Amino acid sequence: MVDNPAANPSPFPLITLQPVADAGNFWVALMLEGADPLDSAVLTRVLGDYALAASLDDTMSCIAAVDPTQIDPAQVGALLPPGRLILRFPVEIAADSAQHAPLAVLQDAGLGLMATGFPAPDATLFAGLTSLAVTCPGRDVPPGFADWLRKLPGPHLALGPTTDLCPGFCKFHWRAGHDDQPATPATKTCNASRNLLLKLLVLVTSDADSGAIGNLIKHDPNLAYHLLKLVNSPAFAPDRKITGFAQAIVLMGHRQLQRWVQLLLYARPPGSTVASPLLPRAALRASLMEALARRTGLSHEQQDLAFMTGMFSLLETLFGTPLAAIIAPLNLDEGVVQALTAGTGRFGALLAAVVASEGPPSAPLAAALDTIGVTYEDWAAALAAAARWAVLVSQEA
């Protein structure tokens, strides 16, 4: 258990929220975890009061790590449509015949059931269990485990940070926590695209006028396409359909234009059928940085800089080049530079909390929240708010 009373004056637990993606890198769920297994009260607070449920689109699920004995189906059964709130609990509970009747009550309430861990080959699991979640063993699969993955309908979840994912025979459908990998040819941009994007970065960080940015965009069909796709997406919610990039630049305004260009850095290559794994992840970092800046009393200008810090924090992974070299020509605010290169300053403290949250609840996350003066309850509200925009962006990844 993570224990940090200074950051947690209320009994609300420390939670984290992780994206879950399919084989094409598209977000399919958000994984909600607490320092201890969650109960109905916390689920109701996060999904209902903080509107995380409303942030999910018509297909995305929420996977919540819970103690099933502390879940009231009457309280949580209506938070999401049937099957889309998936309760995750240790596989030993699913194998305990004494727990099968209570699990049946949860299943009858429309809640999905997912067990964490490797069941024994001869185990008798609850008949209503559909999915397994395990730390992916790569190719070293325990005896009998692949049979379980074939027998249960899924979706099965491979938990990170293992990089040696199975080649497909073991039927993993979803994965989470596999983001901390070095840049690969699939995530790096080609030289021509990189040069163009760096020019865009220079323009947007130097407060260039919309005309200069538009002139650069209109000479690249891929950039123009992604501009129109993004500005017509729910993430920007235009009042009317935008058909040309000149119109888009005028309607968005400079602040939104800056954010669009920052997002554009992570857009998938032209012709790719696989989503960018970095775009929604960068969006979540940026949105969470902004939410924390707002909750800690920073000005609107500082909130924008916090957003930029989160968005640029993955440029090294994107380009496969040291971050200091990437941002050197960008004329960034000194606080942003310090945060990105040294992890110092106010933005550096916010970024430390955001990065520490990319996994289960931990002592480093608790310490980072204590440093910036954010309670666990305010942190949960900030997470839900940040996820709302990141989910919308993930649809355009």
Side-chain angles (χ1 to χ4, degrees):
M1 176 177 178
V2 177
D3 185 13
N4 189 4
N8 188 29
S10 73
F12 198 86
L14 179 61
I15 67 168
T16 56
L17 197 62
Q18 305 302 314
V20 176
D22 63 13
N25 293 326
F26 292 97
W27 281 14
V28 291
L30 293 176
M31 186 168 67
L32 180 62
E33 296 181 275
D36 292 312
L38 305 175
D39 58 19
S40 293
V42 175
L43 291 184
T44 301
R45 195 66 175 273
V46 176
L47 287 165
D49 296 348
Y50 297 151
L52 180 62
S55 301
L56 303 176
D57 66 16
D58 294 336
T59 61
M60 288 185 68
S61 300
C62 178
I63 303 172
V66 303
D67 176 354
T69 67
Q70 299 299 311
I71 298 299
D72 178 1
Q75 187 175 359
V76 304
L79 292 173
L80 282 170
R84 286 180 47 206
L85 176 53
I86 301 173
L87 306 181
R88 183 164 71 92
F89 47 84
V91 71
E92 290 78 13
I93 294 177
D96 182 356
S97 60
Q99 298 293 330
H100 288 186
L103 290 177
V105 173
L106 298 176
Q107 181 191 21
D108 291 342
L111 300 167
L113 301 177
M114 173 183 284
T116 302
F118 298 97
D122 60 350
T124 302
L125 301 182
F126 171 61
L129 186 74
T130 59
S131 309
L132 293 174
V134 299
T135 300
C136 180
R139 300 172 190 275
D140 187 20
V141 180
F145 178 61
D147 292 333
W148 278 116
L149 293 178
R150 292 188 182 99
K151 283 188 288 188
L152 298 176
H156 300 303
L157 175 61
L159 301 171
T162 304
T163 57
D164 183 20
L165 287 172
C166 303
F169 70 90
C170 62
K171 308 298 183 185
F172 280 122
H173 304 88
W174 295 351
R175 62 180 185 172
H178 295 276
D179 294 320
D180 295 329
Q181 301 179 21
T184 66
T187 58
K188 293 179 184 177
T189 55
C190 66
N191 287 336
S193 295
R194 174 182 170 177
N195 291 336
L196 186 59
L197 290 175
L198 287 176
K199 289 180 181 178
L200 268 177
L201 273 178
V202 171
L203 287 177
V204 76
T205 56
S206 61
D207 288 325
D209 61 47
S210 300
I213 295 175
N215 285 334
L216 183 60
I217 292 169
K218 71 182 182 181
H219 288 105
D220 187 286
N222 184 48
L223 290 181
Y225 164 78
H226 281 294
L227 167 61
L228 294 180
K229 184 178 179 183
L230 278 173
V231 299
N232 281 298
S233 73
F236 289 94
D239 294 330
R240 62 182 183 274
K241 185 174 178 61
I242 297 173
T243 58
F245 48 80
Q247 177 193 17
I249 291 171
V250 171
L251 291 179
M252 277 192 299
H254 194 74
R255 180 172 181 267
Q256 286 285 62
L257 179 63
Q258 280 193 341
R259 295 194 170 198
W260 171 78
V261 172
Q262 292 169 38
L263 274 175
L264 185 64
L265 295 170
Y266 298 97
R268 76 178 90 169
S272 174
T273 58
V274 177
S276 164
L278 294 179
L279 186 148
R281 185 178 170 208
L284 182 58
R285 279 194 180 189
S287 188
L288 185 52
M289 288 282 293
E290 181 183 35
L292 289 175
R294 182 166 54 250
R295 287 185 173 271
T296 54
L298 299 186
S299 67
H300 287 297
E301 180 182 0
Q302 290 172 316
Q303 290 171 34
D304 284 342
L305 292 174
F307 180 96
M308 179 182 290
T309 302
M311 189 66 73
F312 285 0
S313 64
L314 287 169
L315 288 182
E316 185 168 320
T317 301
L318 176 70
F319 288 132
T321 301
L323 187 56
I326 297 171
I327 66 174
L330 301 185
N331 192 32
L332 297 179
D333 176 89
E334 185 59 31
V336 175
V337 174
Q338 290 177 356
L340 292 174
T341 59
T344 57
R346 188 61 175 172
F347 299 142
L350 297 180
L351 185 60
V354 170
V355 173
S357 74
E358 296 176 342
S362 63
L365 174 58
L369 294 179
D370 188 21
T371 297
I372 62 176
V374 171
T375 68
Y376 293 175
E377 201 159 359
D378 281 348
W379 165 252
L383 269 179
R388 201 167 305 138
W389 193 68
V391 167
L392 290 173
V393 168
S394 74
Q395 298 168 350
E396 308 304 322

